[in-house]
Amino acid sequence: MKVLIYGSGQLAQMMYLAAVPLGIQVSAVDVGNHTVVDPISKRSLELSIEDAIEQADVLSVEFEHVPEDLLEQAQSSGKLLPNSEAILAGADRVREKAVLSKLAIANSEHRIITQVEQLDEAVETLGDKLIIKASRDGYDGYGQWRLAHIEQLDSLKNTLSQLDLQNVPLIAEKMVPFERELSLVGVRGLQGDIQFYPLAENLHHQGQLHVSVAPAPDITENLNQQAQLAFKKLVEEYDYVGVLAVEFFQVGDSLLVNEIAPRVHNSGHWTQQGTDTSQFENHIRAITGLPLGNTKAKGKSAMINIIGCDDYSTDLLSIKNCHLHLYGKTVRPKRKMGHINLTGKTYSELAEVMTTLAKFLPIQAFPKLLDEADKLAAID
Amino acid sequence: MKVLIYGSGQLAQMMYLAAVPLGIQVSAVDVGNHTVVDPISKRSLELSIEDAIEQADVLSVEFEHVPEDLLEQAQSSGKLLPNSEAILAGADRVREKAVLSKLAIANSEHRIITQVEQLDEAVETLGDKLIIKASRDGYDGYGQWRLAHIEQLDSLKNTLSQLDLQNVPLIAEKMVPFERELSLVGVRGLQGDIQFYPLAENLHHQGQLHVSVAPAPDITENLNQQAQLAFKKLVEEYDYVGVLAVEFFQVGDSLLVNEIAPRVHNSGHWTQQGTDTSQFENHIRAITGLPLGNTKAKGKSAMINIIGCDDYSTDLLSIKNCHLHLYGKTVRPKRKMGHINLTGKTYSELAEVMTTLAKFLPIQAFPKLLDEADKLAAID
């Protein structure tokens, strides 16, 4: 069986690695230069996208920002899973907000901004603490602005007036004083069967995910049910097949959807060591019609992103139950270079491993690691 | 870092998959046609062996029967791990027996046969129950003959007289009434540090491994120590680096070495799901100088080889903690097509999973599965 993935980065790489043992060949479309490549070596397979689509049994994506023409071509083949409607809901915050409203899934209060003047009305209704996001092509903190108090409004309007808001509207969201960010990664099979990984707690820094801990501590049945209900509504709306990630803000006992990602997700990387069947294998299983695998957490896991640095010591592999996942990239500021998965029987065992890990790392590049270890050490 | 593996079959494939997350690129030499290939797709990398050796940081092997000229070339690069002496000890039973004698490691009584007439003396000293093995290029039961009683001797001599015994001597071994076959897979790092996986029990059928169970049931500390001592003597003799597998016959409370394999081994495939760090990852870690990973068994595991058949149902993946590892081959009689890894908390849980698995398989191709499940069910 053959799978063609749009996007040839680390997510395609990890899907490839999970697919080989299942006898499934994964190729990737480099959407930058429209070539079909081996997802590991990035060598061209000397194959047109048309031929690759023809040969593939299933098409899928590693990211939602697939250029429109490619996405349309993929959808029209009849082989794209999840389908383009679902992918676009992840790619376009206007569509995302529309579907959340339609399905009555709680999310932050917001206004859609197609002219900077509409910001005045947004401030009147939502207050002067706003986070403003480009509706498309923003990721990892890019394409985001903050209004912290009313004095900044004129300057912000000035900045934003230089954008083409008719073409790419903004979403102005009320800044929510949330306790933490959680994400639910789940998978829906071809027959509509659903498996959930446990909720992960995600720690961001400057707009990028740095650490995920799973299962997230202090999850009530109530929180779980809110998350799973939102997930179920979304996958049923789109007749979704594959892995879907839903990011939430926890505000008291409530979850507000922050965003949805129609694909395997950075906050699910812990599943490689932390569960029997990783999100990558389960995505491949789902889209190829294989039975879904066990998503239960084996113990407590942490995933530590390696961002913008390569001056760690590989002696970190001497730590028991510590695994390195590198993406084969040259270093650049803010670039995700790889991640480290850690597991422990308890949160305090996990905290110990995290503290040991810190000794092998340039700690300024891992600003969330030790604080989180301290927090986890206090749990059990 | 770059690793070049001699041999481009499933073992090279699984080393490749384990190496990618460590940021290590694995290429393979197809020793049949002297090309350098991608170990998964088998696509030629359009690179001469000389250039591939030049570019590689380390060379290693997936099998011991590397043609002599290639092995010499590899050794002379100074990058081959384990070294060619160790590889030849696995490739040549005359060398293997010599090193076992030298190191006083218990093994079956035997005679080296370079002329068929020497079989008479062998029968006189060892008795008329013999297993006769070609000293080189035999595997999976090929190149083996049995003498079950004295009346067969003349006919056997007739058969063997057609071989070039001067060039490829035979080993005539006394047939040992052993209780079972066990194997020890271990790994030695560049600094001489050693990690052992627990002993596995191996079930053969017609000369091929069908099922491994690990940790093997009923292992005494005494058996463990015998196995580990034999392993230590061998790796120290050769200043061995990488994974080494030693196969044993258990006879009462004693272990006799059956054979040694200077590489990752079929009886270690269970480590992919059954331990934190698979034999494939640990081999790559060892030869590239990385710290060795945890080899402890997580629970009880079984590895089921898929041999000469492809008419199983992939619905077997619906079984909890059941993993498929396919090698991407077209089916042929006796060909190893892939394996299935199963895990359970206890032997009886494992037995249950094995029994469930049988429902998805053409059972005549898995002659050892259900009997072994019955045996394991009785343990705990």
Side-chain angles (χ1 to χ4, degrees), chain B residues 156-209:
Chain B
L156 184 64
K157 281 162 78 175
N158 196 34
T159 304
L160 299 177
S161 65
Q162 289 154 40
L163 303 174
D164 179 3
L165 302 189
Q166 292 298 322
N167 190 28
V168 183
L170 301 170
I171 303 285
E173 273 184 3
K174 185 173 176 168
M175 233 188 270
V176 182
F178 58 86
E179 275 103 54
R180 56 176 175 170
E181 297 191 44
L182 298 169
S183 63
L184 179 64
V185 174
V187 58
R188 185 165 179 265
L190 263 182
Q191 275 74 44
D193 46 322
I194 294 174
Q195 293 284 339
F196 296 112
Y197 293 99
L199 281 163
E201 180 172 336
N202 302 320
L203 298 140
H204 289 78
H205 179 72
Q206 297 178 350
Q208 287 187 297
L209 179 65

Side-chain angles (χ1 to χ4, degrees), chain B residues 191-231:
Chain B
Q191 275 74 44
D193 46 322
I194 294 174
Q195 293 284 339
F196 296 112
Y197 293 99
L199 281 163
E201 180 172 336
N202 302 320
L203 298 140
H204 289 78
H205 179 72
Q206 297 178 350
Q208 287 187 297
L209 179 65
H210 273 248
V211 173
S212 288
V213 174
D218 298 321
I219 295 297
T220 60
E221 190 45 38
N222 176 14
L223 287 173
N224 246 333
Q225 283 183 2
Q226 289 178 59
Q228 295 188 1
L229 181 62
F231 184 103

Side-chain angles (χ1 to χ4, degrees), chain B residues 40-345:
Chain B
I40 310 293
S41 67
K42 322 297 183 197
R43 269 187 291 269
S44 165
L45 300 180
E46 309 294 343
L47 193 69
S48 68
I49 294 181
E50 289 70 24
D51 287 347
I53 291 174
E54 177 67 29
Q55 290 173 21
D57 300 284
V58 191
L59 315 181
S60 193
V61 302
E62 70 148 15
F63 76 145
E64 50 276 21
H65 304 294
V66 176
E68 214 169 314
D69 55 333
L70 288 180
L71 193 62
E72 275 169 22
Q73 182 187 34
Q75 180 61 35
S76 70
S77 73
K79 300 177 181 177
L80 183 62
L81 291 175
N83 57 51
S84 64
E85 282 299 305
I87 293 165
L88 287 169
D92 182 339
R93 291 181 198 276
V94 174
R95 287 177 182 250
E96 185 180 62
K97 288 294 186 186
V99 73
L100 294 174
S101 299
K102 178 183 169 190
L103 301 175
I105 298 172
N107 63 97
S108 312
E109 277 187 83
H110 63 277
R111 288 291 177 280
I112 294 167
I113 308 291
T114 53
Q115 303 172 359
V116 280
E117 291 71 32
Q118 294 168 327
L119 274 175
D120 297 324
E121 195 270 340
V123 168
E124 264 171 49
T125 352
L126 304 176
D128 65 351
K129 309 235 179 308
L130 297 179
I131 179 152
I132 293 155
K133 301 172 179 175
S135 57
R136 294 207 305 275
D137 298 327
Y139 65 94
D140 277 2
Y142 295 102
Q144 295 203 2
W145 300 266
R146 275 159 198 273
L147 181 70
H149 51 79
I150 195 73
E151 286 76 26
Q152 300 170 329
L153 184 58
D154 284 343
S155 145
L156 184 64
K157 281 162 78 175
N158 196 34
T159 304
L160 299 177
S161 65
Q162 289 154 40
L163 303 174
D164 179 3
L165 302 189
Q166 292 298 322
N167 190 28
V168 183
L170 301 170
I171 303 285
E173 273 184 3
K174 185 173 176 168
M175 233 188 270
V176 182
F178 58 86
E179 275 103 54
R180 56 176 175 170
E181 297 191 44
L182 298 169
S183 63
L184 179 64
V185 174
V187 58
R188 185 165 179 265
L190 263 182
Q191 275 74 44
D193 46 322
I194 294 174
Q195 293 284 339
F196 296 112
Y197 293 99
L199 281 163
E201 180 172 336
N202 302 320
L203 298 140
H204 289 78
H205 179 72
Q206 297 178 350
Q208 287 187 297
L209 179 65
H210 273 248
V211 173
S212 288
V213 174
D218 298 321
I219 295 297
T220 60
E221 190 45 38
N222 176 14
L223 287 173
N224 246 333
Q225 283 183 2
Q226 289 178 59
Q228 295 188 1
L229 181 62
F231 184 103
K232 279 182 189 157
K233 285 179 173 178
L234 285 163
V235 293
E236 274 152 29
E237 172 71 10
Y238 291 112
D239 193 15
Y240 193 98
V241 178
V243 165
L244 172 74
V246 186
E247 290 184 43
F248 299 94
F249 296 132
Q250 181 183 348
V251 184
D253 292 334
S254 300
L255 294 183
L256 301 180
V257 169
N258 175 32
E259 59 183 61
I260 61 180
R263 53 172 168 83
V264 291
H265 192 255
N266 199 167
S267 71
H269 290 3
W270 67 273
T271 62
Q272 292 171 307
Q273 265 72 41
T275 66
D276 181 68
T277 318
S278 76
Q279 64 166 348
F280 304 103
E281 179 168 344
N282 259 331
H283 185 71
I284 294 292
R285 288 193 186 200
I287 64 175
T288 58
L290 291 170
L292 302 181
N294 188 353
T295 52
K296 211 178 140 200
K298 285 182 192 170
K300 313 300 182 192
S301 294
M303 186 286 311
I304 319 294
N305 268 341
I306 303 170
I307 299 179
C309 84
D310 59 1
D311 54 339
Y312 49 84
S313 164
T314 51
D315 283 347
L316 62 86
L317 290 169
S318 62
I319 302 170
K320 213 175 117 182
N321 301 337
C322 171
H323 283 267
L324 196 51
H325 296 268
L326 296 177
Y327 308 152
K329 297 176 178 176
T330 50
V331 71
R332 278 208 307 253
K334 299 208 77 175
R335 194 173 209 194
K336 289 180 182 168
M337 305 293 296
H339 65 274
I340 298 163
N341 281 342
L342 304 171
T343 47
K345 286 201 190 87

Side-chain angles (χ1 to χ4, degrees), chain A residues 13 16 20-22 38 40 43 45 276 281 285 290-291 294 298 314 317-318 320-321 323-326, chain B residues 13 16 20-21 38 40 43 45 276 281 285 290-291 294 298 314 317-318 320-321 323-326:
Chain A
Q13 170 170 311
Y16 175 96
V20 170
L22 298 171
D38 175 305
I40 311 292
R43 268 188 291 270
L45 299 180
D276 181 69
E281 179 168 345
R285 287 192 188 201
L290 291 169
N294 188 351
K298 285 181 191 171
T314 52
L317 290 169
S318 62
K320 215 176 112 182
N321 301 338
H323 283 267
L324 194 54
H325 296 268
L326 296 176
Chain B
Q13 171 170 311
Y16 175 98
V20 170
D38 175 307
I40 310 293
R43 269 187 291 269
L45 300 180
D276 181 68
E281 179 168 344
R285 288 193 186 200
L290 291 170
N294 188 353
K298 285 182 192 170
T314 51
L317 290 169
S318 62
K320 213 175 117 182
N321 301 337
H323 283 267
L324 196 51
H325 296 268
L326 296 177

